[in-house]
């Protein structure tokens, strides 16, 4: 009897904590929980669908095809000799691009955050113009060809190393850093570069992490660059390598296509998708803390 009463008390306490006591709060919280559960399901289901289908394969049991779950599709994907090369190339390209992107973005954002910078309005207008208008694909292709970046590793790293949108976002963040911090550094004899490295950079970790994630994900998922400007198969990034596997798995009636790939076309497609998103899923949790951590909280008192 005592255990029953204690369980009822715990249940009422739990309901009061998460749903409230009044009818209005109960309805409001219940609707909120249902909406968030629906949203979470919409986010989770595509991952579940891709992973589950990547594990599916069919085998003949008593001359009848039966559905079984195995890692055969992943064996096919990882069994390709070019996977390791393209993966390491992609990791190196992403790291180099992200580092350069952060350096260029912060070097542009810091001076633009100074309201007394001469020509600041014109520079911001020019950056905004580049966000709205571009020359198009053909002029960009001709530019890449003429400066000798075709079949060059730098074609993966240099284009997009500066982003007008990211510069403006970083500029707005740096502008929110209290002036008293930079003024105190200048009183102690620090120059602009020292202030940037020792004051602004550490306090800008949230925006740096955000920009790094945007640049890294964008470069990791970039397959158009390899398709347009790279013909050397040894210089294929992971997305172009997986794209070739998907094309092989989707082909029908073509000579020279691996029979294992053809027999597990759907599973190989899904396994390639899973392989392509694993690095991002592994990196994201380490950057997430910077999105919610208020590093400026308490930096200036009084």
């Amino acid at each position: 009897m005592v255990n029953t009463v204690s369980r009822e008390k715990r249940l009422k306490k739990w309901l009061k904590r998460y749903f409230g006591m009044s009818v209005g709060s109960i309805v409001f919280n219940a609707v909120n929980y249902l909406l968030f559960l629906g949203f979470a399901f919409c986010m989770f289901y595509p991952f579940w669908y891709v992973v589950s289908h990547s594990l599916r394969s069919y085998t003949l049991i008593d001359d009848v095809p039966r559905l079984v779950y195995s890692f055969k599709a992943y064996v096919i994907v990882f069994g390709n000799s070019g996977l390791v090369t393209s993966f390491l190339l992609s990791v190196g390209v992403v790291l180099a691009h992200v580092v350069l992107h952060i350096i260029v973005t912060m070097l542009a954002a810091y001076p633009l955050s100074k309201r007394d910078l001469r020509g600041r309005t014109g520079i911001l207008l020019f950056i905004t113009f580049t966000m709205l208008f571009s020359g198009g694909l053909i002029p960009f292709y001709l530019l890449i060809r003429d400066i000798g970046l075709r079949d060059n590793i730098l074609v993966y790293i240099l284009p997009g190393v500066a982003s007008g949108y990211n510069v403006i976002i970083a500029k707005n963040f740096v502008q929110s850093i209290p002036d008293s911090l930079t003024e105190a550094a200048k009183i102690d004899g620090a120059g602009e570069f020292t202030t940037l490295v020792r004051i602004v950079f550490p306090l800008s970790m949230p925006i740096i992490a955000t920009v790094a994630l945007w640049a890294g994900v964008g470069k990791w998922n970039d397959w158009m660059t390899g398709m347009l400007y790279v013909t050397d198969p040894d210089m294929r990034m992971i997305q172009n390598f997986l794209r070739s596997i998907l094309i092989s798995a989707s082909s029908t009636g073509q000579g020279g296509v691996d029979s294992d790939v053809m027999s597990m076309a759907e599973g190989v497609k899904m396994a390639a998708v899973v392989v392509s998103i694993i690095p991002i899923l592994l990196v994201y949790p380490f950057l997430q803390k910077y999105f919610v951590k208020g590093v400026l909280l308490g930096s200036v008192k009084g």
Side-chain angles (χ1 to χ4, degrees):
M1 184 65 180
V2 176
N3 291 334
T4 303
V5 174
S6 62
R7 282 197 297 267
E8 290 179 355
K9 288 183 177 180
R10 287 197 297 267
L11 178 60
K12 289 180 180 179
K13 184 177 181 181
W14 183 85
L15 291 174
K16 180 180 178 180
R17 178 180 179 183
Y18 290 101
F19 290 92
M21 292 297 292
S22 64
V23 176
S25 63
I26 292 175
V27 173
F28 177 78
N29 289 325
V31 172
N32 274 343
Y33 288 136
L34 288 175
L35 289 176
F36 280 117
L37 286 174
F39 182 75
F41 175 78
C42 292
M43 297 294 101
F44 174 76
Y45 180 75
F47 288 96
W48 172 256
Y49 179 87
V50 170
V51 173
S52 63
H53 279 67
S54 68
L55 297 174
R56 290 185 177 184
S57 61
Y58 291 89
T59 185
L60 290 177
I61 301 178
D62 297 331
D63 295 331
V64 178
R66 299 292 179 87
L67 176 64
V68 296
Y69 288 89
S70 67
F71 291 94
K72 190 175 181 180
Y74 291 95
V75 173
I76 293 174
V77 173
F78 285 100
N80 196 302
S81 59
L83 178 66
V84 176
T85 302
S86 61
F87 180 83
L88 294 177
L89 175 64
S90 298
V91 170
V93 166
V94 169
L95 291 177
H97 177 79
V98 168
V99 170
L100 286 177
H101 189 84
I102 292 174
I103 292 174
V104 171
T105 300
M106 294 304 296
L107 286 178
Y110 177 65
L112 288 174
S113 67
K114 305 295 183 181
R115 300 184 185 276
D116 56 350
L117 176 68
R118 293 184 179 180
R120 177 174 179 266
T121 302
I123 297 174
L124 290 175
L125 288 175
F126 178 79
I127 293 176
T128 305
F129 182 85
T130 63
M131 295 167 55
L132 301 176
F133 303 97
S134 65
L137 179 60
I138 294 177
F140 189 72
Y141 177 86
L142 295 176
L143 173 65
I144 294 296
R145 184 197 64 183
D146 292 343
I147 62 178
L149 289 183
R150 287 198 62 194
D151 288 326
N152 190 322
I153 192 66
L154 294 179
V155 76
Y156 291 125
I157 301 174
L158 295 183
V161 76
S163 169
Y165 178 79
N166 289 347
V167 168
I168 292 178
I169 294 295
K171 185 268 298 183
N172 292 336
F173 186 92
V174 173
Q175 203 167 278
S176 67
I177 296 177
D179 293 335
S180 56
L181 290 177
T182 56
E183 290 173 359
K186 291 179 181 179
I187 292 175
D188 291 338
E192 294 292 351
F193 184 77
T194 303
T195 303
L196 172 63
V197 173
R198 303 190 64 176
I199 303 296
V200 176
F201 257 80
L203 293 176
S204 301
M205 286 308 298
I207 195 63
I208 290 175
T210 302
V211 170
L213 184 64
W214 289 345
V217 171
K219 184 57 62 176
W220 182 266
N221 292 329
D222 180 24
W223 61 274
M224 182 67 75
T225 299
M227 187 184 71
L228 293 177
Y229 311 118
V230 178
T231 58
D232 187 354
D234 294 331
M235 288 181 56
R236 291 185 301 178
M237 288 184 63
I238 187 68
Q239 299 300 335
N240 299 102
F241 173 80
L242 295 176
R243 179 174 176 270
S244 66
I245 295 180
L246 292 177
I247 293 174
S248 298
S250 302
S251 302
T252 56
Q254 286 188 348
V257 178
D258 195 314
S259 59
D260 289 334
V261 175
M262 291 299 300
S263 64
M264 298 186 59
E266 191 68 20
V268 171
K269 291 179 186 178
M270 297 303 176
V273 173
V274 173
V275 170
S276 66
I277 65 176
I278 285 177
I280 301 300
L281 292 178
L282 294 177
V283 170
Y284 185 80
F286 296 98
L287 297 179
Q288 174 64 21
K289 62 180 180 180
Y290 291 108
F291 298 148
V292 296
K293 182 179 180 181
V295 296
L296 292 179
L297 185 62
S299 60
V300 177
K301 298 181 180 180

